[in-house]
Amino acid sequence: MMPGGRQRPVVILTGWLGCHPRNLRRYSELYDKLGWNSVARIPSPNSVVAAMTEGPPDVTQAQTDKDAAFTSLRESRKMSEIEKLALDTLEQLQILKCPYFMVHNFSNGGCFLWEWIKFILRQKPAASPLYPTIDSENLQKNLVGVVFDSSPCHYDAKVHTLLTALNYVSSKSMREKLIVRATSLSRQSVENRFHEYWNGLLTDAQDTPQLYLYSPTDHLSPCRELEKLIELREGLFGERTISKHKFPDSEHCCHLLKYPEQYTNVIKTFIDKSVGEYRHGSNPLETLPITKSRL
C-alpha cells in the first residue's frame, strides 16, 4: 500500500511469444521500486499464432442495433483464448481496486493481448453487453498510460516473420507443432488481419499517453515502420501524449537488460508525466475522429 493506506497503482505486463514468468521478474522489480504493483499476463504461443488471423470483431453495426444484432453477436461468438485472458486480466484489475493503472506491452504477443484489452474497455455496458462483469467506464478513466516495448512489430503480412519469432518458444515439440500450424495459415487471411491490426494501432483515436521503446538492431520490430507509426501518432496527438526512446543497439525485448539505468529513467519520466496529467484532470481517453488509412 501507499502512504495513508492507499492502494498502489498497477501495471499490467503483457509478455512476448515464448516469454516465461521469470523473464518478466526484472520488470516487476523495476516497477516495484517505482511504487507500482504488477500483474503479469502471457498469451500462450497457440493464442499468438491464432491472433495472426483472428482479432476483435467489428461491432459497429451491432452498436447501431441494440436488439437483434447484439444478441446474435453475443450468442454466436465463441471467446478466443487471448480474449479470455484479456477479460480475466480486467476482472483481476477490478478486484485489486487500484487507483489507476498502466499497460506495458512486449512484442506482438503483448500487443495482441492489449488489442483485446482495449476492445473490452471500449464496450459501454449499456450499449454493448458483451462483457457484463466489466465496469469498462470506471476502468477507462483510470488508465493513465501504455508502454510499447519492442512493439508493435510490423510483420508485413508475412508468415516467415512469425516463424522467426517461434524460435523464442523453448519447448521443441511445441515449437514444431506451431511451425506446422503457422505454415498452414491462409496467406490472404494473414494479410487481411495484418492490415486490420496495424491500422488499428496506427489510427487509434484513444488519447491515452503512450511510450515507444525500440532499437534499430531489433530484427523482429523494424525500426523504419515503427518510426512511421510514431511520427503519425505524434502528428495526431503531439509529443506531450506520444513519447519515445530509441536505444542504440539492444535486441528484441532486451532494452532493460542492456541499458538498465537508462531504461529505468525513461519509464520513471513517462510515469511522472502520465500520472501528472491524470491527476490534473486531463481525460486520458478523449477520442478524436480519425479516418483509417492503409499502409
Side-chain angles (χ1 to χ4, degrees), residues 261-277:
E261 184 176 350
Q262 189 179 148
Y263 189 101
T264 300
N265 289 337
V266 171
I267 291 293
K268 184 179 185 305
T269 298
F270 178 69
I271 287 175
D272 291 345
K273 182 173 69 172
S274 301
V275 173
E277 292 286 342

Side-chain angles (χ1 to χ4, degrees), residues 127-286:
S128 58
L130 287 173
Y131 308 101
T133 62
I134 299 299
D135 183 357
S136 58
E137 292 184 33
N138 186 57
L139 287 173
Q140 279 183 358
K141 70 180 183 181
N142 292 327
L143 173 62
V144 298
V146 183
V147 179
F148 293 92
D149 191 323
S150 304
S151 66
C153 306
H154 188 280
Y155 56 93
D156 199 22
K158 295 176 181 176
V159 174
H160 75 76
T161 306
L162 173 61
L163 297 179
T164 302
L166 286 174
N167 290 324
Y168 287 85
V169 177
S170 56
S171 167
K172 182 180 178 181
S173 60
M174 170 66 76
R175 186 167 62 248
E176 290 174 346
K177 290 177 182 178
L178 291 171
I179 288 173
V180 171
R181 183 178 177 187
T183 53
S184 68
L185 295 175
S186 161
R187 181 176 179 179
Q188 188 61 55
S189 295
V190 172
E191 182 176 350
N192 291 343
R193 168 67 178 130
F194 164 72
H195 288 297
E196 172 191 89
Y197 168 68
W198 194 256
N199 284 329
L201 293 163
L202 187 74
T203 63
D204 184 5
Q206 188 165 301
D207 193 24
T208 306
Q210 296 179 341
L211 169 63
Y212 294 86
L213 305 173
Y214 63 104
S215 163
T217 57
D218 184 344
H219 64 289
L220 285 177
S221 181
C223 186
R224 182 180 176 183
E225 296 301 331
L226 182 54
E227 288 186 327
K228 286 181 183 178
L229 181 146
I230 296 169
E231 182 180 355
L232 185 142
R233 298 200 60 71
E234 285 177 334
L236 292 171
F237 299 109
E239 294 183 4
R240 181 182 66 82
T241 299
I242 306 300
S243 304
K244 63 186 176 184
H245 188 86
K246 186 176 183 179
F247 295 91
D249 55 1
S250 40
E251 296 298 325
H252 194 64
C253 296
C254 290
H255 309 314
L256 173 59
L257 191 63
K258 187 159 189 177
Y259 296 101
E261 184 176 350
Q262 189 179 148
Y263 189 101
T264 300
N265 289 337
V266 171
I267 291 293
K268 184 179 185 305
T269 298
F270 178 69
I271 287 175
D272 291 345
K273 182 173 69 172
S274 301
V275 173
E277 292 286 342
Y278 171 79
R279 286 176 172 166
H280 283 87
S282 175
N283 181 4
L285 281 138
E286 178 184 356

